[in-house]
Amino acid sequence: MTYLLSMRPEELLAPTPAGLCCRPGGFHIDPVRPVAHALITHGHSDHARPGHGAVLATAETIDLMRLRYGEDFAGSVQPVRYGERLAVDGVTVSFHPAGHVLGSAQILVEAEGLRMVSSGDYKDVADPTCEPFEPVGCDVFVTEATFGLPVFRHGDPKAEIEKLLRSVALFPERAHLVGAYSLGKAQRVIALLRAAGYDRPIYLHGAVEAITRYYASRLDLGELHAVRDADRNDLAGTIAICPPSALNDRWSRRFPEPVTAFASGWMRIRARARQRGVELPLVISDHSDWDGLTATVAITGASEIWVTHGAEDALVHWCQTRGLEARPLHMVGYGDEDVESESLESSDP
């Protein structure tokens, strides 16, 4: 796409210490500090923080923020439907599926013929737990690059689930603990297990329970039990889902001879698995891999690419070698879902 220079991109959206700011519309996108008006792409804590004056987001993202932060997480909230166009002080905004987690959205900002998309986090592969990614044509695409290096090619998540189920069959006397981020990854792993034919009860750490129950009110996740209600003798041969931080803490000691697994795109790097003491790394990511990022950049038709976080320089270089104008934004405070799992999750006594 090309755009007329009646408005430059930096006049419509600009990086600031608080986050990406639309000065003409008087709002920020995924601000990292409290602001008067916030548009939120999705419910992960590095993008969705409490304390804003007003929040505009999908209904699911608002619900998830309530679950995590309480009823009074913002001064006011306004839910928006996918594809709904809203006028905000002369700027038009709309939310479009990002395929990342339930309720996740890319945000299209339009003014004076200029179209800019802020992606939030996204993935372009099938996920039964959320709306599929929707490409949005634009002039400027603001993309994440969490896995923005060619080494990151995630492969088929079904094959990773089969690897888990083979281990369960091979070690029927041992429990399998699957570390997974509480919002999105935990529920996707459960859905993938069900799709693979696993119909036994799945056990939940207390920190993933509330969000999983919320997901379960929208799709069939099968029989779920809280670990805290189970007897140790009943946990042999079971699968339990927990925050990554619980894999090696005292919570895990209640399980008989546990096998530790971790579902993450970072498990492509074996050193990361060894560092965490993970016996069964599962390469399952809720972010696009290198091929997904580059394919998405191409399909948007954007002539200018801004890269917000992750391996910014590699993706910027790839764009520039293909004749696209591209630059890193060096924005601070995003991409910390791992930190989220370590600090935000409650303990499960």
Side-chain angles (χ1 to χ4, degrees):
M1 280 191 173
T2 58
Y3 48 85
L4 299 176
L5 295 180
S6 57
M7 175 178 280
R8 294 183 297 110
E10 294 81 0
E11 295 174 316
L12 184 56
L13 287 178
T16 71
L20 204 59
C21 177
C22 178
R23 290 190 175 90
F27 61 82
H28 289 74
I29 296 175
D30 292 348
V32 298
R33 61 183 66 169
V35 299
H37 297 92
L39 276 59
I40 305 298
T41 61
H42 66 282
H44 279 141
S45 65
D46 57 327
H47 291 255
R49 292 169 165 84
H52 305 306
V55 164
L56 179 67
T58 64
E60 293 85 356
T61 293
I62 290 171
D63 286 345
L64 290 164
M65 291 181 75
R66 282 199 184 102
L67 278 176
R68 305 193 112 180
Y69 302 127
E71 288 290 332
D72 300 325
F73 71 86
S76 65
V77 298
Q78 180 181 349
V80 60
R81 299 184 302 275
Y82 287 132
E84 180 181 1
R85 290 165 59 86
L86 299 174
V88 182
D89 289 343
V91 174
T92 301
V93 301
S94 54
F95 286 58
H96 303 267
H100 179 54
V101 297
L102 186 63
S104 62
Q106 309 164 80
I107 299 177
L108 170 63
V109 182
E110 303 176 80
E112 298 184 19
L114 177 62
R115 292 166 59 90
M116 300 182 69
V117 169
S118 180
S119 71
D121 290 334
Y122 65 94
K123 68 176 180 292
D124 62 342
V125 298
D127 180 345
T129 67
C130 63
E131 288 292 317
F133 177 84
E134 175 188 295
V136 181
C138 57
D139 303 300
V140 181
F141 185 51
V142 186
T143 179
E144 62 139 320
T146 302
F147 293 107
L149 291 170
V151 68
F152 290 112
R153 288 182 165 91
H154 298 325
D156 185 358
K158 295 178 182 177
E160 301 301 293
I161 292 297
E162 287 300 325
K163 184 165 66 175
L164 171 60
L165 292 177
R166 284 197 299 273
S167 182
V168 171
L170 186 62
F171 302 107
E173 74 286 358
R174 303 178 69 182
H176 283 66
L177 312 186
V178 182
Y181 306 135
S182 69
L183 170 52
K185 185 67 62 61
Q187 298 77 33
R188 186 180 178 203
V189 167
I190 295 169
L192 287 167
L193 283 165
R194 298 310 188 196
Y198 186 81
D199 58 3
R200 297 174 59 188
I202 293 174
Y203 288 82
L204 305 177
H205 184 287
V208 305
E209 190 175 353
I211 293 174
T212 302
R213 299 293 182 189
Y214 178 80
Y215 268 72
S217 70
R218 285 156 172 74
L219 69 155
D220 184 9
L221 294 180
E223 190 175 350
L224 304 170
H225 294 309
V227 170
R228 64 176 173 273
D229 297 331
D231 184 89
R232 177 184 174 87
N233 294 329
D234 295 331
L235 294 172
T238 63
I239 295 175
I241 311 295
C242 64
S245 58
L247 288 174
N248 296 309
D249 73 10
R250 61 189 180 89
W251 175 85
S252 66
R253 298 173 193 166
R254 71 189 68 193
F255 294 89
E257 299 184 74
V259 176
T260 57
F262 185 14
S264 171
W266 296 112
M267 292 298 97
R268 177 63 66 194
I269 307 300
R270 292 187 179 276
R272 288 233 181 184
R274 288 195 299 270
Q275 184 181 35
R276 282 183 166 270
V278 173
E279 296 177 66
L280 189 64
L282 304 174
V283 185
I284 301 174
S285 178
D286 284 334
H287 296 263
S288 286
D289 63 6
W290 174 257
D291 292 333
L293 290 169
T294 56
T296 299
V297 165
I299 203 171
T300 65
S303 58
E304 187 167 340
I305 309 299
W306 296 359
V307 187
T308 56
H309 60 276
E312 296 176 340
D313 292 340
L315 188 56
V316 166
H317 176 74
W318 182 91
C319 292
Q320 291 173 340
T321 60
R322 283 150 182 83
L324 300 173
E325 187 173 344
R327 65 184 178 106
L329 297 187
H330 301 304
M331 296 178 71
V332 177
Y334 301 101
D336 294 330
E337 291 168 42
D338 198 1
V339 173
E340 168 190 356
S341 289
E342 301 293 339
S343 61
L344 186 67
E345 314 295 359
S346 61
S347 60
D348 186 31

